[in-house]
Amino acid sequence: MTFAADQTPPVLAIDIGASSVKSALVESASRTIVHRLPSADIHTRTFPELRSVVERIVMGALSHAPALTRVGISTTGSASPDNVVISSGFYAGYQNIDWLEGLRLASGGRIQVARVLNDGRAAAYGTFLADDRARGQHLVHFVVGTGIGGGMVHQGRLFHGAHHFAGAYGHIKVDPGGTDPCVCGGRGCVELFAAAPAVARLAARAGLALAVPGGSGVRELAELARHGSEPAREAFRTAGRWLAVAIGCVANVCDPAIVTIGGGVVAAAQDGTGGNWYVDAAAAAARGMVIPRIGEHLIVVEASLLNDAALIGAAAAAAER
Ligand SMILES: [Zn+2]
């Protein structure tokens, strides 16, 4: 697909994950994906490889849409308000990175805007804009994958916090007496109980032997669940009930109109009949974690854009500048 020079050019959306990069051209008015570029794996987990992959994506996108000037980037780690990646633990050397400077240079000046958002926030914004149930509301969005992150939209705007680190939902302490260490250096964090590795651990404890160890086993576990394995379903439900503790903490503080949950664990836990073992358990338990006035209105649902929320959110943010 190519875009004529007299059309409003699309925005290039790039989603930098822990080991791969997804990208797509997004039509900015309708916020829909009009062309997907091939997903790329990052084998060395170093910034130089990541940079060359992203530059290749940009050059590929420019060949489809020569008038492209704007790039929205959703990234692991944290990004400052002026679109500099502050730090990310996943790629060696990926800190204090100004993507705009690099992409402007690589594209010979054709890329003029690069908006960079932390991936949880990009997904929250994409969900806020594209999910009919969330549109225009005060939204809290959880992303449950290898870890747990997310973001919050208040009065139509992303909430960043004073130092731009807001949204560390995965590190809400649900078991302060816990002994296992978390990646954050703390203990008792909810992601130790409710993210993908925890789901796999719960399954193993219930006697299910998964071929793939750790959090990657969640898709295999989902297959077992869909084939009727009650212990597999219960592993998702138990983890979902742990997430409910964190949902309750956030909801008690900010009284959201809607709580959406997305990410790989949620995608895996779809039961095939419109239900979701993980989300349904989280939603039911969350009501018991909040004061009645908030519980009366609390809506906890599976996010509708499970895989593309961060792309849509990053593209929308880039289109606004
Ligand atoms: Zn933690």
Side-chain angles (χ1 to χ4, degrees), residues 168 170-173 181-192:
H171 307 286
I172 291 172
K173 306 294 182 272
C182 177
V183 289
C184 72
R187 287 167 203 277
C189 301
V190 69
E191 73 176 37
L192 295 169

